[in-house]
């Protein structure tokens, strides 16, 4: 079934969905401008205040570590002070209890009438009123008078009078004062026992006074909250002060951690000292802020040049004026002593950086000398012309070396060999410490006893090749018979070479500017006379031209590897987990250049999945970077749950803005456009909605193996604007396979797209049933030997979400219907074995249904899906977008969506053709 629906390419008038994922960090993908490396400090400056505060509090940055350390120190000091106060209070309480109990007991024992009352017939009648009055007056818990046997005469509780006293009495009977800590019926207390003596010093009775530590410490306990409050205020003030200091430190360190700052410094320092161009940074007042080693060498700057004005450094007037002015300059040639320097300068304030300028200096003296030598050798222009035409026809290092050897034989030498450093073959910088590899060899005979191609060589210091590499100049050995240094390389092979008839040698270093890429050896056997000075000059000219081509091939190899690495880093590392589709993919970069093809698989709400395939017109780093920007945009737009046609309309506007911005800057060719296909598959309804913008149509393999290309309206390529995009809706049976691809698979220079589609149809008809088998079959049948364009292939086999995993109810527009919804939800979750989610699911759906009844419109329905997560959806006919707010303490409502956001793992809103759907996902237990 195919249903077409036309929609305007303009942005939808309704509000975009509000999709929130708890715990998911925001991500912003950016592509640095061409020729300007990304600066970690600038990235730190571009962060917002909230991001910088989060960075500071994370503990990864220097500011964060200082903040956390200072807060911990303050907190420990406050805790130590509070603990010391509590311990001191407890000690003072104990001492106060001891002193008060002894004083009261001694005062009562020595009070007039106490001893006489012991001799009376009824001591209790006399002493009990006195003891109680004294107890109330002194705030002790008890005063007990007893005889020498410990029998109580007084006690706050009359029922204990006449019973034996509990405590230590022996020291008191001996005339001493006893103080002890015990735990009695009224809690921990301190009691003192004091003897009552007659005039003769004999102990005739005892008095005990006791007081609980709770009674004494009550005042301190009442003061403790005040002390804790003061400590909390001190902690808050210290933390606030620490936060201000950390905020200032955060601004100064740009949110970088110690490792990041160290690594950034080491990288910048390594680059500045290793680069083969002079780098100068001048401040806004014309003061030299930085000059690397190469700049010191080229300009002969003094050691203390940093910090001084450039006009005071003794430079040539025109050079000093350029550096002091800060104006833009591109390859301006300046004569500095005996050097010709090409100067490029750019101001630094153009992109929000500090005022000043950055200049690079390149020594072009050697290029001028090379031109002079070519002018002086007009008689050799024919061969040099052939070298210019025949060497460097491909951007392959090995092939370029072979072209040099083939050109030299037999026109200049009988045998020629090219030895390059291993790093050059891989596209890297040559390193003298590494071995050389015999890369190319050519001769008038195939049986020459020279080292074969592919063999690693390490020349001894006395050999002509080693001297040429070390000195950077050609070395000629006119008579190999007398060249002891050359023979020392390999005595046996040297003898074979001379016996073969080879008698003269020129070793020329392969130099590209200041880089030495390897060495070229020219050998003579048939011509009797040795190489002369003019032939040495010709060899140097020939090798110099070849060196440029080899260096270009080396740079291309490096940049191609970098571009491929960038391109692959912008593509999905792995596919997201989802249950709607079984997916397999292939991505094959072009043999020459890097394109902008991409693909993506994006899980959406409601168990749906979006499939994306796109292609940016053009090749190279610019196309790869633009592809990354478009892929990021598709990620962001898909989060809005837009229909395919509306998403393509937004993407069309984005491409148009990119073209316009780059055309205004004039730094690079504007993007000519891009194509894209966007499809959304729903496993519940088994419907797939597709829209495309100038992209090849998808292929569909039915479960019975038949292949067809559904009629999906093409739409204009992205970036043209003005025309709407249309969608096609397909109903896919389970186990159908949807095949998405880029034009590199079906179109090339040898065949048009119609022929390519027919070949693709035939390959799909022979493919196995799994997506992996389908990808393999397509590539085996359609992949060209050297693809000129990138190829992206995405095969998705459909699955259907069973009806037993879907529950749906219609809800009347009546608040009383919420109870029935909760009952239905509970029964459904019990049937699915998800009873643990009953409470949270009932609460989520209750809030969503209540909001739909209050603020939405009929009809209202509820749907639950059991997929990788438990999905709850509430549909109503209103297109008003809900928003999360935080209710005040006095508000009666406004907490529904807040509860949903807290209970659900993700929630959001999407807009079908009529109304809206609010959804929430919970992880399965």
């Amino acid at each position: 079934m195919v249903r077409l629906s036309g929609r305007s390419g303009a942005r939808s008038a309704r509000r975009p969905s509000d999709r929130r994922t708890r715990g998911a960090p925001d991500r912003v993908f950016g592509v640095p401008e061409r020729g300007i490396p990304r600066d970690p400090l600038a990235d730190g400056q571009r962060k917002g205040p909230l991001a910088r505060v989060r960075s500071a509090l994370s503990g990864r940055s220097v500011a964060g570590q200082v903040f956390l350390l200072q807060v911990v120190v303050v907190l420990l000091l406050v805790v130590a002070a509070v603990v010391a106060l509590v311990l001191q209070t407890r000690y003072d309480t104990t001492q106060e209890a001891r002193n008060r109990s002894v004083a009261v007991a001694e005062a009562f024992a020595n009070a007039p009438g106490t001893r006489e009352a012991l001799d009376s017939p009824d001591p209790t009648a006399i002493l009990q009123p006195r003891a109680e009055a004294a107890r109330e007056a002194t705030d002790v818990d008890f005063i007990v008078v007893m005889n020498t046997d410990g029998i109580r005469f007084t006690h706050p509780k009359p029922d204990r009078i006449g019973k034996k006293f509990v405590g230590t009495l022996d020291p008191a009977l001996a005339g001493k004062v006893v103080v002890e800590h015990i735990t009695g019926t009224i809690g921990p207390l301190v009691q003192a026992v004091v003897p009552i003596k007659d005039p003769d010093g004999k102990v005739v009775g005892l008095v005990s006074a006791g007081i609980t530590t709770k009674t004494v410490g009550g005042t301190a306990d009442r003061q403790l909250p005040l002390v804790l409050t003061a400590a909390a205020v001190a902690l808050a003030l210290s933390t606030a002060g620490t936060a201000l200091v950390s905020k200032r430190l955060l601004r100064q360190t740009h949110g970088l951690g110690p490792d990041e700052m160290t690594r950034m410094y080491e990288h910048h320092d390594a680059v500045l000292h290793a680069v083969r161009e002079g780098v100068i940074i001048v401040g806004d007042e014309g003061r030299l802020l930085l000059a690397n080693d190469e700049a010191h060498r080229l300009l002969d700057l003094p050691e203390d040049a940093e910090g001084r004005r450039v006009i005071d450094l003794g430079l040539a007037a025109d050079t000093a004026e350029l550096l002091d002015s800060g104006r833009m300059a591109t390859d301006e040639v300046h004569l500095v002593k005996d050097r010709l320097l090409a100067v490029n300068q750019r101001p630094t304030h153009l992109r929000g950086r500090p005022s000043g300028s950055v200049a690079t200096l390149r020594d072009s003296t050697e290029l001028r000398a090379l031109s002079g030598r070519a002018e002086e050798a007009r008689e050799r222009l024919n061969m040099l012309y052939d070298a210019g035409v025949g060497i460097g026809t491909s951007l392959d290092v090995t092939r370029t070396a072979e072209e040099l050897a083939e050109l030299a034989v037999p026109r200049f030498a009988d045998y020629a060999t090219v030895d390059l450093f291993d790093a050059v073959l891989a596209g890297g910088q040559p390193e003298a410490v590494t071995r050389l590899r015999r890369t190319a060899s050519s001769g008038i005979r195939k049986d020459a006893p020279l080292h074969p191609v592919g063999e690693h060589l390490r020349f001894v210091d006395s050999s002509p090749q080693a001297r040429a590499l070390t000195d950077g100049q050609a070395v000629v050995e006119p008579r190999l018979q007398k060249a002891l240094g050359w023979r020392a390389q390999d005595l046996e092979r040297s003898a074979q070479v001379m016996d073969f008839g080879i008698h003269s040698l020129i070793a020329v270093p392969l130099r590209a500017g200041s880089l030495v890429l390897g060495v070229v050896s020219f050998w003579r056997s048939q011509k009797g006379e040795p190489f002369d000075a003019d032939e040495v000059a010709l060899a140097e000219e020939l090798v110099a031209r070849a060196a440029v081509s080899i260096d270009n091939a080396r740079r291309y190899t490096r940049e191609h590897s970098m571009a491929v690495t960038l391109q692959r880093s912008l593509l999905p590392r792995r596919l997201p987990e989802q249950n709607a589709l079984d997916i397999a993919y292939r991505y094959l970069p072009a043999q020459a250049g890097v394109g902008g093809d991409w693909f993506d698989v994006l899980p959406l709400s409601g168990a749906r999945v979006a499939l994306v395939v796109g292609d940016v017109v053009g090749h190279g780093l610019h196309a790869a970077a633009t592809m990354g920007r478009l892929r990021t945009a598709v990620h962001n737009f898909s989060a809005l749950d837009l229909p395919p046609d509306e998403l393509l309309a937004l993407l069309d506007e984005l491409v148009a803005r990119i073209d316009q911005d780059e055309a205004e800057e004039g730094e690079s060719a504007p993007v000519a456009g891009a194509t894209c296909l966007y499809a959304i598959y729903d496993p519940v309804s088994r419907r797939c909605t597709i829209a495309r913008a100038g992209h090849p149509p998808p292929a569909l393999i039915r479960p019975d193996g038949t292949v067809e290309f559904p009629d999906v309206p093409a739409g204009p390529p992205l970036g043209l604007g003005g025309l709407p995009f249309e969608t096609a809706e397909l109903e896919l049976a389970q186990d159908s396979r949807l095949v998405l691809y880029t034009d590199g698979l079906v179109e090339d220079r040898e065949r048009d797209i119609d022929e390519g589609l027919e070949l693709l149809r035939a390959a799909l008809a022979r493919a196995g049933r799994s997506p992996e088998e389908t990808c393999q079959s397509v590539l085996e049948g359609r992949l060209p030997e050297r693809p000129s364009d990138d190829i992206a292939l995405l095969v998705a086999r459909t699955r259907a979400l069973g009806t037993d995993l879907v529950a749906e109810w219609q809800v009347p527009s009546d608040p009383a219907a919420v109870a029935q919804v909760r009952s239905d939800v509970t029964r459904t979750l019990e049937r699915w074995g998800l009873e643990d989610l009953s409470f949270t699911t009932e609460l989520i759906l209750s809030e969503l249904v209540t909001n739909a009844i209050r603020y939405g419109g009929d009809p209202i329905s509820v749907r639950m899906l059991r997929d990788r997560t438990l999905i709850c959806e509430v549909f109503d006919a209103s297109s008003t977008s809900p928003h999360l707010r935080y209710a005040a303490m006095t508000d009666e409502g406004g907490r529904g969506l807040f509860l949903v956001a807290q209970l659900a793992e993700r929630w959001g809103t999407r807009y079908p053709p009529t109304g809206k759907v609010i959804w929430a996902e919970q992880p399965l237990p």
Side-chain angles (χ1 to χ4, degrees):
M1 176 187 300
V2 179
R3 187 176 67 209
L4 302 179
S5 60
R7 283 193 178 94
S8 172
R11 192 186 305 272
S12 175
R14 58 174 175 254
R15 299 176 61 180
S17 67
D18 186 11
R19 180 183 185 138
R20 297 169 175 85
T21 303
R22 189 173 63 203
D26 297 334
R27 296 180 178 177
V28 179
F29 293 86
V31 179
E33 297 188 31
R34 175 174 297 183
I36 301 177
R38 295 190 61 176
D39 188 349
L41 295 181
D43 290 343
Q45 293 172 349
R46 285 193 289 269
K47 293 180 179 178
L50 182 59
R52 289 196 296 268
V53 172
R54 288 177 177 172
S55 175
L57 296 181
S58 67
R60 292 189 295 270
S61 66
V62 174
Q65 294 178 5
V66 172
F67 176 80
L68 294 177
L69 178 61
Q70 292 184 352
V71 169
V72 169
V73 171
V74 173
L75 182 60
L76 291 177
L77 292 176
V78 171
V79 171
V82 173
V83 171
L85 177 62
V86 171
L87 295 177
Q88 183 64 36
T89 301
R90 291 182 178 178
Y91 176 81
D92 294 343
T93 298
T94 303
Q95 289 299 111
E96 176 64 21
R98 290 171 60 92
N99 296 337
R100 189 184 300 182
S101 61
V102 171
V104 171
E106 288 181 342
F108 196 90
N110 298 322
T114 301
R115 180 179 57 80
E116 290 78 2
L118 295 176
D119 298 332
S120 65
D122 189 3
T124 299
I126 299 173
L127 296 175
Q128 177 71 6
R130 294 181 182 179
E132 289 302 300
R135 180 178 66 83
E136 294 177 358
T138 57
D139 288 335
V140 296
D141 290 287
F142 65 84
I143 299 177
V144 176
V145 183
M146 68 197 84
N147 60 17
T148 56
D149 295 328
I151 303 301
R152 300 185 182 99
F153 292 137
T154 65
H155 196 279
K157 296 183 179 180
D159 60 339
R160 299 187 182 181
I161 297 174
K163 297 181 179 179
K164 187 174 179 60
F165 176 77
V166 179
T168 304
L169 300 180
D170 291 340
L173 293 174
K176 299 180 180 180
V177 176
V178 180
V179 180
E180 57 183 343
H181 298 263
I182 65 172
T183 301
T185 58
I186 59 176
L189 57 85
V190 178
Q191 68 179 15
V193 181
V194 177
I196 303 174
K197 300 178 181 179
D198 60 8
D200 296 332
K202 180 181 179 180
V203 177
V204 296
L206 303 170
V207 176
S208 175
I211 184 170
T212 61
T213 56
K214 179 180 180 182
T215 302
V216 178
T219 302
D221 292 342
R222 289 191 296 273
Q223 293 176 351
L224 187 58
L226 179 60
V227 174
L228 293 177
T229 301
V233 172
L235 176 62
L237 293 177
S238 300
T239 304
T242 302
L244 292 176
V245 174
S246 299
K247 183 178 180 181
R248 180 179 180 87
L249 184 59
L250 176 65
R251 289 198 306 267
Q252 294 176 347
T253 61
H254 301 277
L256 298 176
D259 294 339
E260 294 172 329
M261 294 178 65
T262 302
R263 184 166 59 254
M264 181 186 68
Y265 173 79
E266 292 174 348
H267 288 179
H268 285 193
D269 188 64
V271 170
L272 286 175
H273 288 288
V275 70
R276 302 299 297 177
E277 290 188 355
V279 178
I280 286 182
I281 300 179
V282 180
D284 55 354
E285 297 180 354
R287 295 189 179 276
L288 181 62
L289 302 181
L290 183 145
N292 68 346
D293 295 345
E294 187 69 8
H296 273 270
R297 185 185 69 84
L298 294 177
L299 297 178
D300 196 17
L301 296 176
E303 293 293 334
D304 60 345
E306 281 81 359
R308 296 169 56 183
R309 293 177 58 87
V310 293
I311 59 177
D312 299 332
L313 296 178
L315 302 176
D318 57 340
T319 306
E321 184 277 332
L322 172 63
L323 298 178
D324 183 64
S325 66
R327 60 180 173 83
M328 293 184 62
T330 302
D331 288 335
E332 283 193 15
V333 179
H334 289 255
L335 179 61
V336 178
K337 296 184 177 179
D338 58 345
R339 299 187 185 98
L340 280 179
L341 302 183
V343 182
N344 290 272
Q345 182 168 271
R346 295 291 184 275
T348 59
H349 62 80
L350 296 180
R351 297 171 178 85
R353 295 179 174 85
S355 299
S357 61
V358 176
T360 60
L361 314 171
R362 186 176 65 255
D363 190 351
S364 61
T365 307
E366 296 177 359
L367 296 178
R368 183 186 62 172
L370 178 62
S371 300
R373 288 194 299 269
E375 190 69 19
E376 295 172 358
R378 292 183 179 274
E379 68 277 8
R380 298 169 291 183
L381 284 179
N382 185 29
M383 185 175 180
L384 295 179
Y385 172 79
D386 292 341
V389 174
I391 299 177
T393 58
S394 67
L395 291 174
D396 183 86
V397 176
T398 301
R399 180 56 193 156
T400 304
E402 292 173 349
E403 291 172 347
L404 169 60
E406 292 170 358
L407 177 68
V409 177
R411 299 173 63 181
F412 175 69
D414 298 322
Y415 300 93
T417 58
V418 181
D419 306 318
L420 300 178
F421 289 106
D422 279 335
V424 174
L425 296 174
Q429 293 279 8
E431 300 176 1
V433 296
T434 61
R435 295 179 299 177
L436 292 98
R437 182 190 295 269
R438 179 62 50 87
T439 307
S441 178
S442 181
I444 58 176
R445 292 174 56 181
K446 301 296 184 183
D447 56 347
L450 300 174
H451 291 283
V453 173
E455 183 174 342
H456 279 99
L457 304 173
R458 189 179 293 277
F459 295 105
V460 299
D461 294 340
S462 60
S463 66
Q465 291 85 351
R467 285 184 287 154
L469 290 173
T470 302
D471 300 336
Q473 301 293 331
V475 176
V476 60
E477 289 289 353
R479 302 291 182 183
L480 292 179
Q481 186 71 30
K482 300 179 180 180
L484 299 180
W486 169 76
R487 297 176 64 181
Q489 176 71 34
D490 188 336
L491 294 177
E492 181 179 357
R493 187 179 295 274
S494 299
Q496 294 175 356
V497 168
M498 289 186 294
D499 292 342
F500 188 76
I502 298 177
H503 60 83
S504 186
L505 164 68
I506 300 176
V508 184
L510 263 168
R511 298 183 57 190
S514 59
L515 297 181
V516 178
L517 309 177
V519 62
V520 181
S521 301
F522 300 100
W523 313 81
R524 175 169 289 177
S525 62
Q526 289 189 339
K527 191 175 180 180
E529 61 273 11
F531 288 112
D532 57 22
D534 291 339
E535 289 171 326
V536 172
L538 177 58
E540 290 178 339
E541 293 283 353
L542 185 62
V543 172
R545 291 186 174 236
V548 174
S549 299
I550 291 178
D551 188 53
N552 288 339
R554 177 189 68 86
R555 292 174 182 270
Y556 171 79
T557 301
R558 179 189 61 192
E559 294 181 2
H560 181 71
S561 300
M562 292 172 56
V564 171
T565 302
L566 170 64
Q567 184 185 41
R568 292 190 179 278
S569 68
L570 295 175
L571 292 172
R573 302 288 180 89
R574 59 182 181 87
L575 296 181
E577 297 180 353
Q578 45 82 31
N579 290 340
L581 299 168
D582 288 332
I583 296 177
Y585 66 91
R586 296 289 187 276
Y587 190 90
L588 302 175
Q591 291 292 329
V594 175
D597 295 13
W598 91 93
F599 66 92
D600 232 324
V601 179
L602 307 171
L604 304 177
S605 63
R608 300 172 304 139
V609 178
L611 302 176
V612 189
V613 174
D615 183 8
V616 175
V617 176
H619 291 81
L621 284 174
H622 186 269
T626 304
M627 174 267 286
R629 299 170 70 178
L630 296 184
R631 178 172 176 254
T632 301
V634 172
H635 267 268
N636 294 333
F637 292 154
S638 67
L640 304 177
D641 262 338
L642 298 174
D645 54 339
E646 295 185 20
L647 186 141
L648 291 181
L650 294 176
L651 205 61
D652 179 62
E653 296 179 9
L654 174 63
V655 173
R657 287 198 302 270
I658 292 175
D659 288 353
Q660 181 180 0
D661 293 342
E662 295 188 352
E664 292 176 354
E665 292 180 3
E667 296 181 358
S668 60
V671 179
T675 65
C676 183
L677 186 147
Y678 189 81
I680 298 177
Y681 174 70
D682 187 350
V684 179
S685 63
R686 293 184 292 103
R687 292 184 177 275
C688 183
T689 306
I690 306 175
R692 61 190 181 111
H695 202 80
L700 177 62
I701 308 176
R702 298 290 183 181
D704 59 359
T706 60
V707 180
E708 63 179 277
F709 293 91
D711 185 14
V712 180
L718 299 176
L720 297 182
L723 296 176
F725 299 95
E726 297 180 3
T727 62
E729 190 172 274
L730 311 177
E731 183 173 347
L732 304 180
Q734 187 167 348
D735 290 331
S736 297
R737 281 167 289 167
L738 191 64
V739 181
L740 309 181
Y741 51 90
T742 55
D743 59 357
L745 185 66
V746 296
E747 188 177 13
D748 55 35
R749 297 177 181 177
E750 298 179 358
R751 61 176 65 91
D752 59 16
I753 190 171
D754 292 333
E755 184 180 355
L757 291 177
E758 289 302 319
L759 293 175
L760 177 61
R761 183 197 301 271
L764 293 175
R766 298 189 302 268
R769 298 191 61 84
S770 70
E772 283 289 341
E773 292 174 344
T774 304
C775 288
Q776 189 66 26
S777 177
V778 169
L779 293 185
E780 290 177 352
R782 284 291 302 119
L783 182 64
E785 294 182 0
R786 296 180 62 88
S788 59
D789 196 3
D790 293 0
I791 295 176
L793 176 64
L794 189 66
V795 179
R797 183 173 61 188
T798 61
R799 295 176 180 171
L801 194 63
T803 56
D804 57 332
L805 301 179
V806 180
E808 188 171 9
W809 308 280
Q810 295 295 323
V811 181
S813 184
D814 182 2
V818 178
Q820 182 61 38
V821 171
R822 288 198 294 266
S823 300
D824 295 338
V825 168
T826 301
R827 287 194 299 271
T828 302
L829 293 179
E830 290 176 353
R831 176 163 53 88
W832 288 347
L834 301 176
E835 296 87 351
D836 294 343
L837 299 179
S838 297
F839 176 75
T840 56
T841 305
E842 289 179 13
L843 185 56
I844 290 173
L845 285 177
S846 296
E847 294 296 338
L848 296 181
V849 172
T850 301
N851 283 347
I853 293 174
R854 286 184 176 180
Y855 310 112
D858 288 334
I860 299 173
S861 62
V862 174
R863 187 172 74 166
M864 291 175 53
L865 308 175
R866 180 179 178 178
D867 191 51
R868 302 185 68 87
T869 59
L870 179 62
I871 303 171
C872 302
E873 299 179 340
V874 176
F875 169 83
D876 67 85
S878 172
S879 60
T880 303
S881 176
H883 66 280
L884 178 66
R885 71 184 185 92
Y886 300 94
M889 295 295 294
T890 57
D891 291 348
E892 294 182 0
R895 299 175 178 86
L897 288 181
F898 178 79
L899 290 176
V900 172
Q902 295 299 312
L903 296 175
E905 184 181 53
R906 298 193 311 161
W907 75 279
T909 308
R910 71 173 183 268
Y911 296 91
T914 59
K916 68 175 180 295
V917 174
I918 304 178
W919 55 269
E921 293 183 6
Q922 302 176 74
L924 298 180

